[in-house]
Amino acid sequence: MRVALLPVFLAGYFWWVFAPGGFGASLFIGSGLVLLVLSMSRAGAFHRGLAVAAVIALALSVALGRFDAGLMYADLPSYFAIVAILQVLSLSGYPVRAARFDRRIRALMSSLARRGAKTGTISTTMSQALGSVLDVGAYVLVDVVFAKAAPKERIDALVWAARSFSFVTLWTNLNLLTATAIVLTTTSYTGLLAVSAPYLVVGLGVMVLLSQTRKGGKIEVDDDVELDFGALAVVLYPVVLIVAVAAVNHLVPGFALTSAIAVTVGGGVVLIASLATLAARNPAPLTRLVSETRASFAASSPEFALFGAAGVFVLSLQSLGALDPLGTLLSGLSAPYVPLALFAVVALGFVFGIHVLPMILLIDSAFPLSGGEMPAVWALAIILGCQVALLVTPFSNSVTMLSRLSGMGPFEIGPKRNWRFALVTTVAAVAYLSVLTLLLP
């Protein structure tokens, strides 16, 4: 029933994107609420607890006569839009998940290994190249490849891949956190790149240097595979997709970056599958796309439970005025301290169990992020707050995926192995944000 209703939900989303308000918005909200209810049976204890809190807050706002139906109708689609875009983004890695690309990815690894690259360096590079389109699904490919090429180094490779992935949000426009931060702060993609590039280059450079100077960490070179255009396509595909999203966002004024992601990625994946089907004269590529789409729909319960319940909860709190103290606190800070405060709130909230996307939407409800004097720095502060907490909170998708692949507990594969990394990145992020607030007007 959920899988059958999801196409209706996505249709309502695209209708809402191109024609806000009217029946499209009603279809989008209505189908989203039904899917939220249906998803609770497959949700975890945390999601159910959030749903209970949302219902209590909603009931309290109604009982006190403060329920604002207009606010719900206007802002709830923003939360359901996160789910819709996540469904589309889950398909962005469709081309490189084809079986024939396993061999080409091994060709890239072997090429790096022949030039002396070690396990950490190779997994760091793979995570950057594939993480922008596969999200934490990049860990799966790292795991599969290293299980064959260097089984003793597999866990170490996964850890380095996760550390590298934490930097992906600083440069890709395909990540929903990056896109949401850009939209809420009303900065531009190029503006964010301008302030994040120095931190990104230095951070990744230090990581590669440290991983390369470690003892051991060598992998077996596969002499049976050679680099070809298909191997190059693995690296070029994310770049082309990122440029296409940026172009659509630039060429269509008023089109939010989040919407540009959904339209460009969705259209691009369908086009690639259609062209592959015509070239092969075989329905297998389209059949695989349908199969992957259905699998993504079937696994979407946590997203609906988290973001749907968070939307109802935050908007109910806003109606009750419960977010006013947070807004007052942030509004009372002088401009140089706001980025550091945003960084701290996002990082601490994520560590203690509030997913970063609902967190920044909650912050925006209490303290509109669009009014900042340094919008790009504010967006960077939000992203860095997520980065430093990503591998030390058991509530992140990264730690969940690492735990699933490694067979270790979330605290063992997460905080135990990465607390030093989180400490170093925290110090570096605070120092960098402090310098930016001093240098920029």
Side-chain angles (χ1 to χ4, degrees):
M1 186 174 178
R2 289 183 62 260
V3 173
L5 188 57
L6 259 160
V8 177
F9 172 76
L10 289 178
Y13 166 72
F14 284 108
W15 191 340
W16 172 73
V17 165
F18 290 104
F23 182 73
S26 301
L27 178 66
F28 185 38
I29 295 173
S31 58
L33 289 173
V34 173
L35 284 164
L36 168 61
V37 174
L38 294 176
S39 297
M40 295 314 301
S41 62
R42 294 175 177 266
F46 172 77
H47 302 112
R48 293 180 182 179
L50 180 61
V52 170
V55 171
I56 292 174
L58 178 62
L60 189 60
S61 69
V62 173
L64 295 176
R66 296 185 179 180
F67 175 70
D68 189 342
L71 178 67
M72 283 283 180
Y73 188 81
D75 290 355
L76 195 56
S78 298
Y79 292 84
F80 283 134
I82 295 175
V83 185
I85 298 169
L86 285 173
Q87 296 308 301
V88 176
L89 278 175
S90 68
L91 302 176
S92 62
Y94 161 81
V96 296
R97 279 196 292 263
R100 64 181 179 276
F101 278 109
D102 286 346
R103 182 179 180 85
R104 286 160 175 168
I105 291 171
R106 285 191 290 117
L108 288 170
M109 286 183 55
S110 295
S111 178
L112 290 171
R114 291 189 193 100
R115 290 162 173 79
K118 294 184 178 179
T119 301
T121 305
I122 294 173
S123 61
T124 295
T125 305
M126 284 184 64
S127 185
Q128 283 297 307
L130 300 175
S132 61
V133 292
L134 294 176
D135 198 65
V136 295
Y139 302 165
V140 178
L141 284 180
V142 170
D143 185 59
V144 169
V145 172
F146 276 88
K148 297 177 181 178
K152 293 182 179 180
E153 301 288 339
R154 183 175 67 90
I155 301 299
D156 193 53
L158 282 172
V159 173
W160 280 104
R163 292 169 181 170
S164 175
F165 176 77
S166 71
F167 284 90
V168 168
T169 52
L170 292 167
W171 64 270
T172 182
N173 57 25
L174 298 177
N175 186 279
L176 192 54
L177 167 63
T178 309
T180 303
I182 288 172
V183 170
L184 292 180
T185 57
T186 64
T187 188
S188 63
Y189 178 52
T190 53
L192 175 65
L193 289 181
V195 298
S196 66
Y199 186 88
L200 172 67
V201 171
V202 173
L204 285 179
V206 171
M207 279 191 59
V208 170
L209 179 63
L210 291 175
S211 63
Q212 190 62 21
T213 54
R214 292 173 58 253
K215 293 181 178 179
K218 294 184 178 180
I219 71 168
E220 297 179 7
V221 176
D222 193 342
D223 294 320
D224 296 331
V225 294
E226 297 181 358
L227 285 176
D228 57 11
F229 180 76
L232 185 61
V234 174
V235 179
L236 289 179
Y237 172 66
V239 176
V240 171
L241 199 56
I242 288 168
V243 171
V245 169
V248 170
N249 182 236
H250 177 72
L251 294 174
V252 186
F255 204 43
L257 179 58
T258 48
S259 301
I261 291 173
V263 172
T264 308
V265 171
V269 168
V270 172
L271 177 62
I272 290 171
S274 301
L275 291 176
T277 298
L278 291 174
R281 296 181 181 179
N282 188 314
L286 275 176
T287 302
R288 184 168 69 87
L289 178 59
V290 171
S291 176
E292 289 194 12
T293 302
R294 182 178 179 83
S296 175
F297 285 178
S300 63
S301 292
E303 288 90 346
F304 274 100
L306 175 62
F307 296 108
V312 175
F313 183 55
V314 171
L315 295 176
S316 297
L317 290 179
Q318 191 173 350
S319 297
L320 290 168
L323 300 179
D324 293 345
L326 176 61
T328 302
L329 174 65
L330 292 174
S331 299
L333 296 174
S334 58
Y337 296 104
V338 173
L340 295 175
L342 292 175
F343 168 83
V345 170
V346 171
L348 292 174
F350 202 6
V351 166
F352 289 107
I354 304 177
H355 192 281
V356 66
L357 285 172
M359 168 61 71
I360 62 175
L361 289 171
L362 184 151
I363 294 171
D364 186 61
S365 296
F367 177 71
L369 296 170
S370 60
E373 298 177 7
M374 299 178 289
V377 179
W378 285 19
L380 179 62
I382 290 168
I383 294 169
L384 290 177
C386 172
Q387 185 206 18
V388 302
L390 191 66
L391 298 179
V392 292
T393 175
F395 303 102
S396 76
N397 291 340
S398 283
V399 172
T400 300
M401 182 62 78
L402 288 174
S403 178
R404 185 185 305 170
L405 293 173
S406 66
M408 299 179 180
F411 286 96
E412 183 180 2
I413 192 66
K416 185 177 180 180
R417 288 176 177 264
N418 293 292
W419 69 268
R420 291 183 182 86
F421 173 77
L423 182 60
V424 170
T425 51
T426 298
V427 173
V430 170
Y432 187 66
L433 289 172
S434 300
V435 171
L436 284 177
T437 56
L438 291 175
L439 295 179
L440 297 179

